[in-house]
Amino acid sequence: MGVSGLEMAMRDVDREIRVLEDGLRAGTLTLGPTVEGALRLANRLMLTLAMAADRAIPGLDEDSDPLEVFKAFVKGDPSLNAVRDNVRELVYYRNCLASGREDALPVNPVAMAVRTVRHTYLYMRTRAIKEYGLQER
């Protein structure tokens, strides 16, 4: 994937996160769909950066299990473990919802999910700037 493809993919993810942020401000987001959307975006970011590093991850896509995507994503580059906590947090929210344990969620989990995926994006964008020549804005 060239820099222009990487830039386009990063812009698309940024745009989708902005939609989540707008929904958060408007109070229109619900937790389940927000968490699922954030997990898909995190997967897309990991898959995009893997392609930029010429380490495409066959058989996985943005709807795959995020822990499987993460495991393949960090293979050979342990410095990418910084993404781990953000992915795990979003998976934790999903698991709480699936098991009916909303009481175990943090205060305002919708906002936390949106901020977590934004943080993941910012970290990966910084890596893409440093490592793959992505242009700063």
Side-chain angles (χ1 to χ4, degrees), residues 63-104:
D63 293 316
S64 297
D65 179 340
L67 296 176
E68 289 300 315
V69 175
F70 173 76
K71 186 169 77 173
F73 176 63
V74 300
K75 200 172 255 179
D77 190 351
S79 70
L80 293 170
N81 282 331
V83 176
R84 177 188 58 213
D85 292 338
N86 291 323
V87 171
R88 283 183 177 173
E89 182 175 348
L90 293 169
V91 169
Y92 174 76
Y93 295 176
R94 182 179 63 188
N95 290 345
C96 285
L97 290 171
S99 64
R101 289 294 317 270
E102 287 84 359
D103 61 309

Side-chain angles (χ1 to χ4, degrees), residues 107-129:
V107 175
N108 203 354
V110 173
M112 293 297 293
V114 173
R115 291 182 183 119
T116 298
V117 74
R118 171 57 75 192
H119 182 262
T120 303
Y121 166 81
L122 292 171
Y123 176 80
M124 291 197 188
R125 180 163 184 84
T126 300
R127 292 239 2 184
I129 289 167

Side-chain angles (χ1 to χ4, degrees), residues 1-73:
M1 168 180 286
V3 174
S4 63
L6 178 59
E7 180 62 40
M8 217 167 28
M10 296 298 278
R11 275 192 207 143
D12 288 345
V13 170
D14 182 47
R15 192 173 14 261
E16 289 188 46
I17 294 171
R18 287 179 194 272
V19 169
L20 290 174
E21 291 167 335
D22 291 344
L24 183 61
R25 280 189 288 281
T28 59
L29 298 180
T30 56
L31 184 57
T34 301
V35 168
E36 291 304 320
L39 284 167
R40 277 192 303 280
L41 290 171
N43 277 355
R44 192 179 320 157
L45 285 166
M46 289 185 283
L47 293 165
T48 297
L49 256 61
M51 283 179 51
D54 292 324
R55 295 181 330 173
I57 304 171
L60 297 175
D61 61 25
E62 69 180 53
D63 293 316
S64 297
D65 179 340
L67 296 176
E68 289 300 315
V69 175
F70 173 76
K71 186 169 77 173
F73 176 63

